Amino acid sequence: MKSVFRKFGWIALCAGMAAMAAKAQDEKRSRIDVENYVIDAQINPDTQTLAARVAVRFIPLDDQTTSATFELNNNLNISKIADEHGGSINGQRNQQENSVRLTFNSPLPKGQATTVTFNYDGRLTGSEESPIYGIKFAAIQNDYAFLLYPSRWFPVSGYTADRFTSTIKVTVPAGFQVIGSGSGSNTGNVWTYEFTKPSFPGDIAVVKGQPVKNSSESITTTLWFRGNAATQANAYGAATAQMVNYFTSIYGLAPYANMTIVETTDGAPNGYAAPGVLYLSPQSIAKDVNVNVLANQIARQWWEIAVSPVNRNHIWLENGMALYSEALWTEHEKGATAMEDRMKDTGITALTMDNVPLIQAARLEDYSPEYWALTASKGAVVVEMLRNTMGDDKFFKALKAFQQQSAWKSATTEDFRKACEAAMGEELRYFFIQWVESNSAPEFKLEYTIFRTTKGFRVQGRISQDLDTFRMPVDLKIDTEGNPETKRIEVMGTSSEFSVETFGKPKKVTIDPGHKVLRMSPEVRVEVAIRRGEQLAAVSEYAEALKEYQKALDTQRNSSMAHFRVAQIFFAQHNYQSAANEFREVENGDMQPKWLDVWTHIYLGNIFDITGQRERAVNEYTQAQRTRDNTQGAQETVGKYLHEPYKEASHEAV
C-alpha cells in the first residue's frame, strides 16, 4: 500500500526505540485500563473547528496511582481537566508525543474505577502535523469531516490495545449528518452513537447529501462517496457484499454484516476500518474496484474490531491476517497460482525486515515501511506457512475457533497458538519459536544422488541450512520422465537426510517448489535489496536507497529492475543524463518484469521532452505504445505525452 511515511533511517529507529523504551517505563508506573468514553463534541465546518467535553472512566491497575498519560492531538488546546468531583487536575503537555500527563491530587486506589473529564477545542483542517507524520487521520472541511482514532482527537490510552465502550454525541450544523459506530440516533442537529461492546469505536464522519445504498447478496452497504467517486459506489457496494459473505464463510459471523463506507480525502490512509464503517481515500476508489484495499479493511472487522492484540507486540495477528485475507480473496477469485505469486511477492517484502522478530513489533514506528513489512507482510507469510503446515481443514477450523473464543476481547500470540494446536491435535511451539519469536530465515542447500532400484529409482540426499534450531516441513518435487513425484520432508536442524522412490528416471529435484517457506537464496537477495531500496526511496532517503540497489547489482549485474530503480532516483533528482544512462542499462538487462519495457520508454521520452528533443521523445513514446503493455495505466500515459510534451513535475511511481 502506498502512503506517505516519516523519513525513517536506522539511526532514527535506534533513537526511536530508546525513546519508546523510556516512555514504556514511564507508563508501566501508571498503568490504567480505560473502560468507557462519553464524548460530547461540536463540529463547525465553517471554522473547521472541534470543541469537546470528554469523560473518561478508567481503572488504575497499580497501587497508589498518582499519574496517568493520555495521547491527545497537539492541535487541541485543553481548557480544563477535572476529577469526578469537579476538582481541577494538573495536566502537562508533551508536544513530542502528542500527549498529556495527568497528576492526581491524591493517589487513586488500585482496581477502583474513576472518571476524569477533559475540555478542549482546536482547529483540525487536515493540514496540521499529524500524530502519525504525513498521514491525515482528521480533517474538518466546509462540506465534510472525518475524525479517526489514530488522530487522537479524543484522549487515548493504550493505543490499538485498550478496548473500550463509548457514547459519542456530536452536534453539527443543519444539513449535515454524522456517521459513527454502534446504535445511532439523532434529535435535530445532535447525533448520538452508543457502542456497548469493548472495541475501538472512536471514529466519526460528517457528511452532506444522500448516500448510495446498495443491496446485494442479502447485505446492504451505505456509501458516502463524493464527486466522481459516486459513480463507483454501486460497484464497491456489490464487492463489499461478496467479500463479507466470503470472509463469513471462513471466520464465522461478521461483527457487522451491513457496512457503511465513507470517502475521506487525499493524504489519508488508503483504507481504515472502524466497527461497521470503512473509510477509503479518493486514490483508493478506482474505476475498477480496489479489491486489495477493500478486502483488507473488511477483514479487519474480524481481525481488529472483534479480536485485537493485547499489545502492539502481537499486532501481527491483526495486520498479518488482514493482508492474508487479501491473498485469500485473490485465491478465491483467481486461483491457487495467483495466490502463490502473491505470497512470493509478499515474502520479499517480509525479508526486508531481518533484525526484529514479529513478537517485538512495538519497537517500530506506527505506519512506517518497516512496521508494515514486519507486521503485515511477514505476518501474512507466517500465516500462509502455518496453513501449509496444518493443512487447510485444520487451519481454517482453527481460525474460526479463535474468532469465537476471543470475540470482543484482546488476544495474544499464545492464545492463537493454542487454538491452532487444538485444531491440529499436536503442539506447534516449534513453529512459533522459529517464525514469531526469531527473526532469521533459512537458505537451503540440496545435495542428492540417484540410484537405480529393482522397481525404478531412488533419490537419496540431504537438505542443509545454517539454523540449528530450525524445524519445518518442506516439500520436494522430483521431475521424472513420467509424472513428477512430490514428498514432504521434515527438515530439522542444520542437516536432514531424505530418500524418495520414483518409477520414472529423475531429471531434476527442486526444494520448496511452491515457495511455501520464507527463505533466502541468491535470487531472493537481489529482490530483497531492491525492495529495501524502494522502501527507502518512498521516504526520499535516496542515498540509502542507491546503496541497496547497488547491493542488488553487485549480485546480479544485469538486473533490469535494479537499474530501473536507480534511474528513477536520478530522474527524481533531475540528474537526467545519469537517468538516461541507467534506463539504457535497463534495456541491456534481463528485462524482468516485462512492464519495464513500456515504462523505460516513457521515462526516456520524458527526459527528451525536458531537454527539448521532442522528435526523440515521440519516438520513445511510440515504442512504448507498440508494447501494448498497460501496466499502471502506461498506455493512457503514452497517449497523453504523444498529444503534448511532458513537463517537469512529480512523476507517479511504478
Side-chain angles (χ1 to χ4, degrees):
M1 130 189 341
K2 287 192 283 187
S3 296
V4 179
F5 297 111
R6 186 191 301 272
K7 293 183 180 180
F8 194 76
W10 294 112
I11 295 176
L13 171 59
C14 295
M17 286 164 51
M20 283 186 278
K23 179 181 176 182
Q25 289 178 354
D26 177 65
E27 292 185 346
K28 186 176 181 180
R29 293 193 297 269
S30 55
R31 296 179 304 137
I32 62 173
D33 176 20
V34 171
E35 291 187 319
N36 176 263
Y37 289 91
V38 177
I39 300 175
D40 188 349
Q42 296 82 44
I43 294 177
N44 188 330
D46 289 336
T47 59
Q48 298 176 280
T49 56
L50 162 73
R53 180 179 185 275
V54 179
V56 189
R57 186 177 75 239
F58 64 90
I59 296 176
L61 300 179
D62 298 312
D63 291 323
Q64 301 296 299
T65 296
T66 58
S67 65
T69 299
F70 291 87
E71 297 177 69
L72 185 66
N73 194 299
N74 282 340
N75 302 289
L76 299 173
N77 304 305
I78 300 172
S79 57
K80 183 179 180 181
I81 306 173
D83 61 24
E84 51 195 358
H85 304 296
S88 294
I89 298 174
N90 179 55
Q92 184 178 2
R93 294 298 299 255
N94 183 326
Q95 295 289 318
Q96 185 176 358
E97 296 179 356
N98 280 269
S99 68
V100 55
R101 179 183 174 88
L102 278 56
T103 302
F104 304 116
N105 297 324
S106 58
L108 302 179
K110 178 180 179 181
Q112 183 175 315
T114 189
T115 300
V116 298
T117 302
F118 294 77
N119 289 271
Y120 56 88
D121 57 39
R123 201 160 181 258
L124 294 175
T125 67
S127 60
E128 301 84 6
E129 183 172 329
S130 169
I132 300 174
Y133 184 84
I135 307 178
K136 293 181 183 179
F137 285 102
I140 302 174
Q141 297 295 303
N142 298 138
D143 55 347
Y144 70 89
F146 60 92
L147 301 173
L148 305 183
Y149 172 62
S151 73
R152 281 76 162 176
W153 70 275
F154 61 93
V156 171
S157 175
Y159 174 64
T160 72
D162 194 349
R163 301 171 71 90
F164 54 87
T165 60
S166 66
T167 299
I168 300 178
K169 183 169 69 174
V170 182
T171 303
V172 291
F176 288 90
Q177 299 181 50
V178 178
I179 307 300
S181 297
S183 175
S185 62
N186 74 290
T187 303
N189 298 337
V190 180
W191 298 74
T192 302
Y193 286 91
E194 187 169 3
F195 204 92
T196 58
K197 292 182 177 179
S199 187
F200 302 98
D203 312 277
I204 61 170
V206 178
V207 295
K208 292 184 75 172
Q210 294 299 317
V212 172
K213 287 185 177 288
N214 179 278
S215 295
S216 303
E217 300 188 14
S218 302
I219 290 176
T220 298
T221 305
T222 304
L223 302 105
W224 293 91
F225 286 2
R226 306 185 304 273
N228 294 333
T231 61
Q232 308 305 318
N234 275 311
Y236 272 79
T240 296
Q242 293 171 359
M243 291 178 182
V244 168
N245 283 329
Y246 172 66
F247 291 134
T248 297
S249 71
I250 297 174
Y251 305 137
L253 290 176
Y256 290 88
N258 297 324
M259 302 293 297
T260 298
I261 305 181
V262 180
E263 180 183 359
T264 55
T265 190
D266 291 335
N270 283 348
Y272 179 84
V277 186
L278 306 183
Y279 294 84
L280 301 181
S281 67
Q283 62 263 29
S284 69
I285 303 172
K287 181 178 179 181
D288 296 322
V289 174
N290 192 329
V291 294
N292 288 334
V293 170
L294 190 60
N296 190 299
Q297 300 309 315
I298 290 174
R300 288 176 183 273
Q301 294 301 304
W302 288 267
W303 301 99
E304 178 178 341
I305 306 305
V307 180
S308 60
V310 70
N311 60 49
R312 292 181 67 78
N313 278 329
H314 302 270
I315 205 162
W316 75 274
L317 292 171
E318 176 181 307
N319 292 335
M321 279 305 310
L323 185 60
Y324 190 67
S325 296
E326 286 185 38
L328 286 174
W329 182 254
T330 298
E331 183 179 42
H332 176 69
E333 289 285 284
K334 299 180 180 179
T337 300
M339 170 71 154
E340 186 176 300
D341 291 342
R342 173 72 185 267
M343 294 312 300
K344 181 180 178 182
D345 183 73
T346 303
I348 299 301
T349 303
L351 287 167
T352 63
M353 274 301 293
D354 59 1
N355 61 341
V356 180
L358 268 181
I359 202 65
Q360 296 180 24
R363 294 163 56 184
L364 301 177
E365 185 177 352
D366 200 21
Y367 276 80
S368 68
E370 293 84 357
Y371 169 83
W372 289 116
L374 185 70
T375 67
S377 295
K378 186 173 181 180
V381 173
V382 167
V383 173
E384 168 71 352
M385 290 191 292
L386 184 61
R387 175 185 177 183
N388 189 53
T389 300
M390 296 178 65
D392 279 10
D393 290 345
K394 294 177 179 178
F395 171 76
F396 288 112
K397 179 182 178 181
L399 296 187
K400 187 171 289 188
F402 179 70
Q403 279 289 324
Q404 292 173 347
Q405 295 161 8
S406 303
W408 304 108
K409 298 177 184 176
S410 298
T412 66
T413 299
E414 188 81 353
D415 296 328
F416 183 62
R417 177 178 68 83
K418 289 178 180 178
C420 292
E421 289 177 339
M424 184 71 173
E426 60 183 78
E427 72 91 27
L428 291 165
R429 178 69 175 148
Y430 72 90
F431 180 93
F432 285 83
I433 289 174
Q434 172 60 41
W435 299 113
V436 179
E437 299 177 21
S438 303
N439 59 3
S440 51
E443 181 168 353
F444 296 133
K445 295 180 181 179
L446 178 64
E447 303 173 50
Y448 62 90
T449 304
I450 300 171
F451 299 95
R452 183 180 291 275
T453 68
T454 56
K455 295 182 179 180
F457 298 87
R458 178 189 304 120
V459 180
Q460 196 163 316
R462 181 173 66 246
I463 299 171
S464 58
Q465 52 81 44
D466 58 1
L467 303 178
D468 188 44
T469 60
F470 185 82
R471 176 186 170 189
M472 189 73 181
V474 179
D475 293 331
L476 280 182
K477 179 183 178 184
I478 303 171
D479 291 305
T480 72
E481 293 177 343
N483 294 326
E485 301 276 353
T486 59
K487 184 169 182 178
R488 176 159 289 191
I489 308 298
E490 189 80 7
V491 177
M492 302 180 76
T494 57
S495 181
S496 300
E497 296 183 351
F498 65 88
S499 180
V500 181
E501 304 287 338
T502 68
F503 179 76
K505 183 178 180 181
K507 297 190 297 183
K508 181 182 178 183
V509 180
T510 305
I511 187 169
D512 187 31
H515 297 276
K516 298 292 186 182
V517 179
L518 187 65
R519 58 188 173 89
M520 278 293 187
S521 69
E523 297 79 11
V524 168
R525 279 195 174 85
V526 172
E527 295 182 80
V528 169
I530 293 172
R531 190 66 52 85
R532 280 189 180 130
E534 291 168 348
Q535 292 170 346
L536 290 162
V539 294
S540 301
E541 295 281 358
Y542 294 134
E544 295 301 315
L546 286 172
K547 291 179 183 178
E548 293 297 330
Y549 296 144
Q550 189 58 52
K551 289 179 185 178
L553 290 169
D554 288 344
T555 303
Q556 184 182 338
R557 187 62 202 171
N558 71 334
S559 171
S560 290
M561 177 58 87
H563 284 295
F564 183 82
R565 294 308 191 199
V566 170
Q568 281 187 308
I569 288 179
F570 288 144
F571 186 90
Q573 295 175 325
H574 308 293
N575 186 349
Y576 296 119
Q577 182 58 61
S578 295
N581 292 342
E582 285 297 322
F583 282 123
R584 293 303 184 198
E585 289 296 326
V586 172
E587 296 177 319
N588 294 330
D590 59 9
M591 291 305 291
Q592 294 298 321
K594 293 181 179 179
W595 60 259
L596 289 175
D597 191 14
V598 63
W599 277 99
T600 293
H601 286 302
I602 291 173
Y603 270 106
L604 284 169
N606 293 164
I607 291 170
F608 291 136
D609 268 338
I610 291 168
T611 56
Q613 303 176 71
R614 180 60 179 167
E615 185 175 340
R616 295 182 72 186
V618 169
N619 178 58
E620 293 294 339
Y621 297 141
T622 301
Q623 291 186 64
Q625 192 175 55
R626 287 172 183 162
T627 68
R628 299 186 179 181
D629 188 324
N630 195 35
T631 301
Q632 292 284 332
Q635 293 306 314
E636 288 86 346
T637 303
V638 167
K640 174 183 176 182
Y641 296 145
L642 281 171
H643 179 69
E644 59 181 38
Y646 171 83
K647 296 179 181 179
E648 282 185 287
S650 59
H651 204 291
E652 178 68 13
V654 294

